[in-house]
Amino acid sequence: MSTNIPFVDLHAQYLGIKSEIDAVIAEVIEKSLFVRGPYVDKFEQAFAELMERTHCVSCANGTDSLYIAMVALGVKPGDEVIAPAHSWISTTETITQAGGKVVFCDTDPETYTLDPLTLESKITSKTVGIIPVHLYGQPADMDPIMQIARKHKLWVLEDCAQAHLARYKGKLVGTFGDAASFSFYPGKNLGAMGDAGAVVTNNAALADKMAMFARHGGLKKGDHQIEGINSRLDGLQAAILSVKLPHLPEWTHKRQERAARYSALLADVPSVKLPHVAEGREPVWHLYVIEHERRDELAKYLGARGIPTVINYPVALPFLPAYQRLGHTPADFPNAYANQSRILSIPIFPELTDAQMDIVVAAISEFGNGR
C-alpha cells in the first residue's frame, strides 16, 4: 500500500507561516528592493545576532560562502586544506577553486564527522586550514580539532550548512573557528525559497574582505579595490529568511522531538543501527540517518510503500571521479568507505506527524523481520 509520505514537506512549512511570507514578498515587490538593500541588511544583522557573532556576510548560496571565506582567509596555490572524506562536494571543490589542494581526513565511524584521531597525521608544512563539517546536523568534535589547529597555527572554517543552531558542549557550532559557512538552500533547517548563503565571523577585517570579494571587489558601487565575484543575497530571499528566522528555534525543537521518537521506536529493530549522539552534543537533525547491511534492499522496500529515502552520500568524496587524480584507495579512509554502503536517510522534518512516523517505523520493522 502506497502512503506517499514526503521526505521533507516545504509546502507544510509555508502553510504554517503563509500570511507572513505572502506579506513580505508583496512588500519587496512593491518597493522593488531586489538586490541587497534594507532587507539584506536586516537579515545579516539578525542572523549574526542569533549565531552570537558580530558579523554576517550574506551571499548567493552556501557553496559560494565556503569559497568566499577561503579567498578571504588567503588560500593560495600550493596551500593544503584538510576536510572530511564524508561530505557534500561543496566542502572540497571550493578548496580547489580558491587555489588550494584538498587533503582528506577519515571520519568518526559513529558521527560521520571529521575524526580528530587521524587529523594531525594529515598536517604538513603546507597545511593552512581545516574545514570540519557538522554533517547531518551532528556537531563535529570541536575541542580536539581546535586544539590541533591552535598547535599548528591553522585557521578553522566550520561548514555549518546542515547544522543551524546545533550545539557542542553548550556552545553553538559556528562559534569555534575563524569563520563559519551556512547554506539556506530550501531544504535546509533554515531555508530560503531559492538559493542563499552566508558566512559569520567575529573578525571585522575578515568580514570586510569577504564582503568586498563577494561584491565585485568593492564595498561601494564603482569602487573596486580588488577583483571579486558577483555573489549577492537578493532582497526577496533575505526578506523570506527574516520571516523564517524567529521560527527556527521552534522548528529545531520539533526536529529534535521527531528524532528522539524515531530512536525510541526503532530501538528494538536489531538490524538497524541508529544515529549516535556523542556526549555533550546537541544535533539539529537536518537528516536522520540509519545504517543497514542491506541498505539498497531496504530503500527499495520502503519506496514501494510510498516512503522516500535518500543516500547522503552514496560515494565518499575521495572515491568520486572528481578526485581520481589523488589516487586514494578504500584503505585510506576505512570509516568513510564502510559507511557509504550502509547509510540511509529517512523522512524527518518539523511537520512530520506521529502517524507518518508510525508508518515509516512499521515498514522498517517489517523489513527487518523478513516480512
Side-chain angles (χ1 to χ4, degrees):
M1 182 181 71
S2 180
T3 57
N4 294 317
I5 295 171
F7 185 75
V8 60
D9 196 341
L10 298 181
H11 188 63
Q13 183 188 80
Y14 164 67
L15 292 177
I17 53 173
K18 183 178 185 300
S19 60
E20 297 175 75
I21 293 290
D22 290 354
V24 78
I25 289 175
E27 187 178 298
V28 173
I29 293 172
E30 182 180 354
K31 296 179 179 179
S32 297
L33 293 169
F34 298 118
V35 178
R36 289 212 58 81
Y39 293 101
V40 175
D41 293 341
K42 177 184 177 181
F43 173 70
E44 288 181 335
Q45 182 177 352
F47 190 68
E49 183 176 332
L50 182 68
M51 290 307 305
E52 300 174 3
R53 301 286 85 183
T54 53
H55 303 280
C56 170
V57 177
S58 63
C59 58
N61 55 70
T63 303
D64 277 3
S65 68
L66 288 162
Y67 173 55
I68 290 163
M70 277 186 271
V71 169
L73 286 164
V75 174
K76 61 185 184 300
D79 287 347
E80 295 179 351
V81 179
I82 300 171
H86 189 159
S87 184
W88 178 241
I89 196 170
S90 291
T91 307
T92 50
E93 66 184 354
T94 48
I95 295 171
T96 305
Q97 290 162 5
K101 178 184 177 182
V102 179
V103 175
F104 288 111
C105 179
D106 204 5
T107 49
D108 176 85
E110 300 291 338
T111 65
Y112 315 117
T113 59
L114 191 148
D115 184 5
L117 296 178
T118 57
L119 172 60
E120 199 157 18
S121 67
K122 301 294 180 178
I123 296 172
T124 72
S125 60
K126 297 179 180 179
T127 307
V128 296
I130 306 167
I131 306 181
V133 181
H134 305 296
L135 196 70
Y136 306 153
Q138 294 270 10
D141 196 359
M142 292 308 298
D143 276 356
I145 291 172
M146 293 305 301
Q147 289 169 6
I148 291 169
R150 284 191 287 266
K151 175 182 174 181
H152 295 274
K153 296 181 173 57
L154 309 175
W155 51 254
V156 173
L157 170 59
E158 295 178 69
D159 185 337
C160 304
Q162 302 179 354
H164 315 66
L165 295 187
R167 290 182 179 272
Y168 175 87
K169 298 184 178 180
K171 186 177 177 182
L172 284 169
V173 302
T175 62
F176 291 86
D178 298 83
S181 159
F182 287 85
S183 169
F184 307 120
Y185 182 80
K188 293 296 194 287
N189 292 25
L190 176 65
M193 290 184 171
D195 259 330
V199 190
V200 297
T201 182
N202 272 356
N203 185 322
L206 182 63
D208 281 348
K209 287 180 182 178
M210 291 190 293
M212 186 179 296
F213 183 68
R215 303 175 201 171
H216 292 295
L219 296 178
K220 295 180 181 179
K221 189 171 183 178
D223 182 18
H224 308 284
Q225 300 295 314
I226 59 173
E227 289 183 324
I229 62 171
N230 179 20
S231 182
R232 297 173 296 196
L233 177 63
D234 68 62
L236 274 171
Q237 302 305 337
I240 290 165
L241 287 167
S242 291
V243 166
K244 288 188 171 188
L245 195 60
H247 298 279
L248 182 59
E250 178 189 359
W251 291 339
T252 301
H253 180 65
K254 287 182 177 178
R255 284 180 179 271
Q256 291 167 335
E257 285 186 334
R258 302 293 80 193
R261 189 168 189 271
Y262 262 145
S263 293
L265 293 174
L266 290 169
D268 295 328
V269 182
S271 59
V272 173
K273 181 181 177 183
L274 299 177
H276 174 74
V277 179
E279 184 178 355
R281 304 189 211 182
E282 298 175 37
V284 292
W285 304 104
H286 173 61
L287 295 169
Y288 188 91
V289 181
I290 62 175
E291 290 187 29
H292 200 284
E293 289 287 354
R294 295 158 57 207
R295 187 269 313 281
D296 294 342
E297 294 176 53
L298 174 57
K300 184 177 179 180
Y301 185 88
L302 296 177
R305 285 150 183 79
I307 301 169
T309 58
V310 177
I311 302 170
N312 305 95
Y313 301 95
V315 180
L317 290 172
F319 313 119
L320 288 169
Y323 295 106
Q324 188 175 13
R325 67 184 187 275
L326 300 180
H328 288 303
T329 67
D332 296 331
F333 311 102
N335 295 332
Y337 182 77
N339 287 334
Q340 70 180 14
S341 64
R342 295 175 48 89
I343 51 174
L344 188 68
S345 303
I346 61 177
I348 190 166
F349 49 92
E351 299 81 11
L352 186 68
T353 67
D354 285 357
Q356 290 173 321
M357 294 184 71
D358 290 344
I359 292 170
V360 175
V361 170
I364 294 173
S365 300
E366 288 167 4
F367 180 83
N369 294 327
R371 294 169 63 184

